[in-house]
Amino acid sequence: MLNRFDGIDLFLQVVESGSFARAAERLHLSRSAVGKGIARLESRLGVRLFQRTTRSQTLTAEGELLLEHAQRAHGEMESAQALLESGKQVLRGRLRVSLPVLFGRRCVAPVLTELAREHPELILELSFSDRVINLVDEGFDFAVRNGQLEDSSELVARQLSWHDMRLCAAPSYLDRYGTPDSPDKLMQHQAIYYMNKSRPLEWQLTIHGQIERFRPEGRLFMDDLDAIADAAEAGDGIAWLPYWLINERLHSKHLVQILPDTAGVRLPIHAVWPKTRWLPLKVRIAVDRLREKLPLRIALKD
C-alpha cells in the first residue's frame, strides 16, 4: 500500500533548499530523481505544487497550503522522535557538521568519529572549510567556529572551549633581529599574519587588564595556520598562533615564545546551529560530547 505521506519530505527539502538542483545535492540524488519524485506527489494529490520557469521556482497556492501543514506535521514528528529517543540515547540518521580545516581535522574530528563508532546507526558527514557557511542553505546540522561570533537571531551558540594564543618566532629570527622584551617593541618586527575573511588577524595581548591590539609590518599573509607555523620556524617573522598547534615546536626549541610573562588572549570555540524549537538528539549529544572532550584534547597537547 502506498504511503500517503510519500514524497512530503522530498517536497520540504526542495522548498527549504530553494531549487531542485540544491535539494538533489543535499540528498545525494540526481536532479532527475528529485523532479520525478515531486511529479509523482503532484500526480497523487491532483494539484501543481511548483510554478517552474528556466530561471525561477515558486510555490503555487496549493503548494503554499501543503507547505504550511507539512512543516507543522514534520515539526511535531521531530519533537516526538526527540522525546522518545532521549530516554534511550540511540543516535541514528545523518549528522552533517561544518568544521574549520586544521582545528577540525586535528581536534574535533577525532571526537566525532569516536561518537560515530559508538552509534552504528549514525551517519557522520564532516565538511572542512574555513569560510563561514550558511547552515540552513547548505543543509548542516551544526558548525564549530573559532573566535568571536557575529550577532545572529537565526543561530544558537554554545561555547565548547578556548584557544590559548601565543606569540612565537624561530631562534634564527631572534638571533638576527633581537627578542622583543616589551609589547611596544613588537612594532619593530616582521609579522606573519593569518588572513580572516580577507583581513589580517591582529595580534592581541592583555596589558594592565585591557586587551591591546598590535599590527606590526608584515610581508607574509596566509589563510593556513600550519603554513604560518612553518614560516615562523623558517625564521620569516613572528607569528600569533594557538598553543595546541605550536607546543611541540616550542618543546623542541624550533620555536621560542615571545613575551611569555605578558598575559595572552584566549579565543572562544563555539558550536552553532539553526534556532529550532526542539534540538535533535543527535545534535545535542554531539555538542555535549565536544564540550566534554575538546578541552581535554587541547590540554593533552600541552
Side-chain angles (χ1 to χ4, degrees), residues 15 18 41 83 87 135 178 196 205 236 256 260 285:
V15 174
L41 178 62
L83 289 172
L135 297 176
N196 181 33
L205 293 172
D236 292 323
V256 175
I285 296 299

Side-chain angles (χ1 to χ4, degrees), residues 7-141:
I8 298 297
D9 279 343
L10 179 61
F11 168 73
L12 288 173
Q13 282 285 350
V14 171
V15 174
E16 292 172 4
S17 300
S19 71
F20 281 43
R22 191 174 294 173
E25 183 178 341
R26 284 189 185 183
L27 297 169
H28 304 286
L29 298 173
S30 68
R31 184 173 180 177
S32 173
V34 172
K36 289 178 180 178
I38 294 298
R40 286 194 294 269
L41 178 62
E42 289 177 327
S43 176
R44 189 170 77 250
L45 296 176
V47 297
R48 191 171 185 83
L49 299 173
F50 292 97
Q51 188 67 42
R52 297 186 288 273
T53 69
T54 56
R55 293 188 176 182
S56 65
Q57 164 191 302
T58 57
L59 285 170
T60 62
E62 293 81 4
E64 292 281 3
L65 180 63
L66 178 61
L67 176 63
E68 178 185 350
H69 289 274
Q71 285 179 327
R72 186 183 308 149
H74 191 267
E76 292 298 327
M77 287 298 295
E78 283 193 336
S79 300
Q81 182 175 330
L83 289 172
L84 291 171
E85 288 182 339
S86 62
K88 55 187 179 181
Q89 304 289 291
V90 174
L91 305 188
R92 60 169 58 94
R94 187 178 302 276
L95 179 64
R96 299 192 71 221
V97 188
S98 172
L99 304 176
V101 178
L102 183 60
F103 179 65
R105 176 164 51 84
R106 291 200 182 183
C107 299
V108 183
V111 176
L112 294 180
T113 53
E114 179 184 55
L115 181 67
R117 285 193 295 271
E118 297 173 9
H119 296 272
E121 296 183 57
L122 181 67
I123 301 171
L124 182 63
E125 185 175 326
L126 304 180
S127 177
F128 298 87
S129 174
D130 288 328
R131 69 185 179 89
V132 178
I133 58 98
N134 186 304
L135 297 176
V136 175
D137 286 352
E138 300 189 40
F140 285 95
D141 294 294

Side-chain angles (χ1 to χ4, degrees), residues 6 12 23 29 49 52 57 69 73 100 135 151 163 207 211 226 250 252 259 281 283:
D6 185 48
L12 288 173
L29 298 173
L49 299 173
R52 297 186 288 273
Q57 164 191 302
H69 289 274
L135 297 176
D151 291 336
H163 293 292
I207 301 173
I211 294 178
D226 249 344
L250 292 173
S252 65
L259 300 174
L281 179 67
V283 176

Side-chain angles (χ1 to χ4, degrees), residues 196-216:
N196 181 33
K197 299 179 183 178
S198 301
R199 298 193 303 270
L201 189 64
E202 293 178 317
W203 299 348
Q204 301 176 38
L205 293 172
T206 303
I207 301 173
H208 303 306
Q210 300 292 323
I211 294 178
E212 301 286 346
R213 299 175 183 272
F214 298 85
R215 188 172 172 184

